[in-house]
């Protein structure tokens, strides 16, 4: 006497789902709207916190926390470092820039006044094809924007650019910088580490790459706080918060469904099996989760796509999945009971 | 399909709803289950349809005692006491759902739904959202939906509670036609007026 469950195609359930979610002010519409809003908030949170942490990290970078000084310029007993081996450190993956810098003297430029001229390795500061660079602070003070031509006291023009701001410890921001370097050996080597690198961990590699000459001990100056900002970036809690948002919206849409048991009862009274009703619920919640993810990705795209890697998109996707995983068990409360149990509510 | 209830007892906690009740609902007839409010009519219908377990006694379908079968909720078209509908979907869509769940294509299900609504004088509300229909209209929509399931046992819990005399007659006439085509119909009611119109009556008190 048992009838088989007739096969209703998934397409029909998708049609049903869309018609249940579309009507203005219906339970379904509320669930979709909530998904869109929270998805957008999730995207905004990811973008805002990533750019805040990025700014934190940039500030930390410029504060000199990532600068390591090997050797001692003013100490005649300090071992000599081969300039090539110092500049070669720039090729290491942990290193952002490396090289030497030395004060050449002071010169007068009509646009700048009397300023220090520093000779540096091109591995430490990118010259970008210019003959000379004007330090960032000096350029600000003098109203120079670069690139252009800068006349010296003899009226000779030099192609110049404005140097990117250097961290403390690489003290070039107030000087004119040239890429001339006569010496093969130097007494100190400046290394600007990548943001995520802790100096303590990188030092043995750095020192082992240097070619040294002399008996003295190589002095090392490094910041014990190096790498901390990047650690903060990695350990930030916005991703957990986004997952939590996904779960909250899933719980809410599950709750909406429980508050309207008549909807579930209507399907069961129309002859839908529990499995069929669950299929419908699944499709409805999939649509809500997709709305959440789409809104999140859209927000990321408009508010900070450039600072965020593809990982942020994945986190929004994970949060969408979390909403689905949360709403489905809540939905079982209307899927499992017999229709008279639902109608009684 | 003949339905027999023997020695049925149900309690909720310490409250005994009914005890040691015997009932018979004959095959392909319209039966009424009459009793005052709170006497356990809905509870009895739940047991008869297999949606609710009896504390004691049994319900058999098809024949007395062992020869029959256990109740199967999937064979019952249920008309609920409180009209449960998708409020944001049109009345005709609500009825068509039952056709859809039988495996009919949407267009055929809609056509059948329109015909059923016309039979019950509901054509003018066919396209309005079910949530805006009146209480009596909603109750008749639930009857239409139950008929659209095509199931061999129709159980209606107070189908005439919100209906005027003319519409009550309409529903009872439809039930009589169904019985004529072999469907067993059981309708609960606290309205003794229904007694004269049905072919079989059972009482709860
Ligand atoms: N799930 C339940 N839990 C506890 N008590 C219940 C439950 N279902 C029904 N009852 C109680 O059982 C009694 C019978 O309820 P039932 O709904 O079967 O009555 P009824 O005859 O259908 O009444 P009405 O005519 O008002 O619909 C009532 O007192 C009700 O409060
Ligand atoms: Mg009742």
């Amino acid at each position: 006497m048992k009838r088989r469950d007739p096969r209703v195609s998934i397409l029909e359930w998708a049609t049903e789902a869309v018609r249940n979610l579309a009507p203005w002010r219906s339970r379904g519409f509320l669930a979709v709207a909530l998904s869109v809003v929270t998805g957008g908030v999730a995207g905004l949170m990811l973008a805002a916190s990533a750019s805040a942490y990025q700014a934190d990290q940039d500030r930390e970078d410029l504060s000199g926390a990532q600068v390591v000084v090997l050797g001692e310029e003013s100490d005649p007993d300090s071992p000599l470092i081969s300039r090539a081996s110092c500049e070669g450190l720039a090729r290491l993956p942990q290193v952002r820039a490396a090289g030497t810098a030395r004060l050449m003297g002071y010169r007068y430029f009509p646009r700048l006044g009397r300023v220090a001229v520093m000779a540096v390795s091109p591995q430490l500061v990118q010259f970008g094809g210019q003959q000379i660079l004007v330090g960032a602070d000096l350029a600000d003070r003098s109203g120079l924007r670069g690139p252009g031509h800068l006349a010296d006291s003899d009226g000779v023009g030099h192609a110049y650019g404005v140097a990117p701001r250097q961290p403390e410890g690489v003290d070039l921001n107030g000087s004119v910088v040239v890429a001339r370097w006569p010496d093969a050996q130097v007494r100190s080597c400046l290394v600007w580490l990548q943001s995520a690198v802790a100096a303590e961990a990188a030092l043995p590699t750095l020192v082992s790459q240097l070619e040294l000459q002399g008996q003295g001990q190589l002095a090392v100056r490094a910041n014990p706080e190096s790498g901390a900002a990047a650690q903060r970036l990695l350990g930030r809690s916005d991703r957990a918060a986004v997952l939590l948002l996904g779960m909250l919206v899933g719980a809410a849409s599950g709750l909406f469904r429980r508050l309207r048991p008549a909807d579930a009862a209507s399907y069961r009274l129309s002859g839908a099996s529990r499995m069929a009703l669950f299929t419908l619920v699944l499709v409805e919640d999939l649509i809500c989760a997709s709305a959440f993810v789409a809104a999140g990705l859209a927000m990321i795209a408009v508010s900070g796509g450039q600072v965020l890697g593809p990982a942020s998109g994945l986190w929004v996707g994970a949060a969408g999945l979390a909403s689905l995983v949360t709403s489905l068990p809540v939905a079982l409360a209307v899927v499992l009971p017999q229709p008279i149990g639902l109608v009684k509510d | 399909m003949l339905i027999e209830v023997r020695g049925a007892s149900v309690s909720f906690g310490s409250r005994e709803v009914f005890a040691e009740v015997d009932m018979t609902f004959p095959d392909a007839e319209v039966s009424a289950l009459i009793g005052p409010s709170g006497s356990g009519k809905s509870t009895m219908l739940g047991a008869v349809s297999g949606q609710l377990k009896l504390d004691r006694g049994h319900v058999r379908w098809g024949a007395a005692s062992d020869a029959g079968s256990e109740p199967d909720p999937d064979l019952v078209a249920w008309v609920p006491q409180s009209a449960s509908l998708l409020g944001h979907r049109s009345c005709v869509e609500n009825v068509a759902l039952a056709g859809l769940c039988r495996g009919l294509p949407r267009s055929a299900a809609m056509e059948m739904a329109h015909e059923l609504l016309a039979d019950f004088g509901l054509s003018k509300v066919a396209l309005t959202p079910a949530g805006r229909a009146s209480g009596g209209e909603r109750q008749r929509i639930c009857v239409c939906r139950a008929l659209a399931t095509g199931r061999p046992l129709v159980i209606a819990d107070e189908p005439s509670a919100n209906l005027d005399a003319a519409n009550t007659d309409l529903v009872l006439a439809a039930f009589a036609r169904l019985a004529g085509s072999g469907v067993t119909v059981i309708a609960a009611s606290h309205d003794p007026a229904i007694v004269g119109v049905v072919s079989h009556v059972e009482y709860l008190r």
Side-chain angles (χ1 to χ4, degrees):
Chain A
M1 183 137 27
K2 187 101 186 164
R3 277 188 338 175
R4 289 254 32 89
D5 201 20
R7 298 185 70 83
V8 180
S9 80
I10 188 85
L11 213 69
E12 289 294 359
W13 291 127
T15 309
E16 282 299 308
V18 169
R19 290 184 184 187
N20 286 338
L21 298 181
W24 168 241
R25 291 167 81 170
S26 65
R27 159 192 67 81
F29 183 86
L30 217 68
V32 175
L34 193 70
S35 299
V36 168
V37 170
T38 43
V41 168
L44 263 184
M45 272 174 51
L46 282 176
S49 93
S51 56
Y53 276 93
Q54 189 66 52
D56 175 40
Q57 183 171 312
D58 290 348
R59 205 165 41 245
E60 196 83 349
D61 272 349
L62 287 177
S63 78
Q66 296 306 102
V67 174
V68 173
V69 183
L70 301 167
E72 182 59 67
E73 189 70 47
S74 57
D75 178 3
D77 294 333
S78 185
L80 286 167
I81 303 167
S82 109
R83 177 167 64 93
S85 74
C86 169
E87 291 171 347
L89 296 179
R91 287 196 294 270
L92 292 174
Q94 303 98 308
V95 175
R96 190 152 143 176
T100 62
R102 203 183 70 175
L103 178 66
M104 298 288 284
Y106 291 86
R107 264 193 92 169
Y108 180 78
F109 291 85
R111 299 271 310 265
L112 305 174
R114 201 175 128 78
V115 294
V117 177
M118 301 288 290
V120 306
S121 308
Q123 287 85 351
L124 186 61
V125 183
Q126 297 284 316
F127 277 77
Q130 310 294 346
Q131 287 175 308
I132 66 174
L133 294 176
V134 176
D137 287 339
L138 185 55
D140 281 351
R141 225 181 301 135
S142 321
L144 291 181
R145 297 239 174 277
H149 279 82
L150 187 66
D152 63 18
S153 53
D154 304 328
V156 179
H158 303 269
Y160 85 97
V162 173
R165 183 167 295 280
Q166 298 299 306
E168 273 175 48
V170 182
D171 300 312
L172 303 174
N173 291 328
S175 323
V176 164
V177 179
V178 297
R180 250 180 301 129
W181 195 259
D183 310 325
Q185 290 186 312
V186 295
R187 292 224 184 257
S188 77
C189 179
L190 296 168
V191 183
W192 190 5
L193 295 172
Q194 297 283 7
S195 313
V197 176
E200 233 170 286
L203 269 175
T205 316
L206 299 180
V207 173
S208 73
Q209 301 276 310
L210 288 183
E211 289 163 25
L212 301 177
Q213 192 188 317
Q215 297 308 314
Q217 178 75 22
L218 184 76
V220 170
R221 267 182 287 149
N223 190 327
E225 293 290 298
S226 58
Q231 289 307 317
R232 283 201 291 278
L233 178 66
L234 291 176
R236 67 198 199 271
S237 57
D238 59 337
R239 291 163 166 183
V242 162
L243 281 187
L244 200 71
L245 266 187
M247 290 167 71
L248 274 179
V249 76
S253 93
L255 204 68
F256 291 163
R257 191 172 274 119
R258 287 178 77 149
L259 290 176
R260 288 203 45 79
D263 286 8
S266 296
Y267 282 95
R268 298 282 278 124
L269 293 173
S270 297
S273 64
R274 291 187 174 99
M275 198 58 217
L277 179 57
F278 187 74
T279 308
L280 174 71
V281 163
L282 185 68
V283 177
E284 283 186 8
D285 285 355
L286 257 176
I287 292 174
C288 287
S290 310
F292 179 96
V293 173
L297 293 182
M299 268 307 174
I300 286 177
V302 299
S303 69
Q306 65 281 16
V307 274
L308 290 159
S312 300
L314 288 181
W315 280 99
V316 171
L321 197 66
S323 82
L324 199 61
V325 167
T326 314
S327 67
L328 290 181
V330 184
L332 288 183
V334 297
V335 169
L336 294 180
Q338 292 286 0
I340 53 164
L342 292 171
V343 171
K344 261 246 159 63
D345 277 23
Chain B
M1 149 174 38
L2 170 79
I3 296 173
E4 298 213 317
V5 179
R6 291 292 174 264
S9 306
V10 171
S11 311
F12 293 108
S14 61
R15 162 132 173 58
E16 184 176 74
V17 181
F18 49 73
E20 302 300 327
V21 173
D22 294 343
M23 284 186 182
T24 303
F25 300 102
D27 179 34
E29 282 187 36
V30 181
S31 302
L33 177 59
I34 309 288
S37 180
S39 60
K41 300 181 295 296
S42 298
T43 305
M44 175 60 81
L45 293 183
V48 164
S49 70
Q51 297 186 62
L52 188 139
K53 285 262 165 293
L54 291 172
D55 293 337
R56 272 173 287 126
H58 62 257
V59 178
R60 304 296 295 176
W61 283 11
S65 65
D66 292 347
S69 62
E70 288 285 313
D72 177 358
D74 288 347
L75 296 176
V76 177
W78 183 276
V79 182
Q81 184 167 3
S82 59
S84 288
L85 295 166
L86 296 170
H88 290 277
R89 306 283 298 276
S90 69
C91 295
V92 67
E93 277 184 299
N94 269 279
V95 178
L97 220 50
L100 223 56
C101 290
R102 283 165 78 176
L104 292 182
R106 196 173 281 270
S107 57
M110 287 293 274
E111 197 175 318
M112 180 177 70
H114 273 296
E115 283 168 13
L116 277 166
L117 288 179
D119 288 350
F120 286 83
L122 292 168
S123 286
K124 60 183 185 304
V125 295
L127 300 179
T128 45
R132 296 225 194 96
S134 75
E137 286 164 346
R138 290 165 59 83
Q139 201 147 32
R140 280 176 284 155
I141 293 164
C142 288
V143 172
C144 292
R145 177 177 64 192
L147 301 193
T149 62
R151 292 179 165 184
L153 175 58
V154 171
I155 294 184
D157 199 351
E158 316 249 8
S160 60
N162 290 314
L163 298 185
D164 53 22
N167 279 309
T168 303
D169 288 349
L170 213 58
V171 168
L172 290 175
F175 284 170
R177 279 199 304 279
L178 270 181
S181 68
V183 173
T184 303
V185 182
I186 304 171
S189 180
H190 57 247
D191 178 9
I194 200 173
V195 171
V197 200
V198 298
S199 47
H200 182 86
V201 181
E202 292 284 358
Y203 292 95
L204 270 176
R205 70 196 92 252

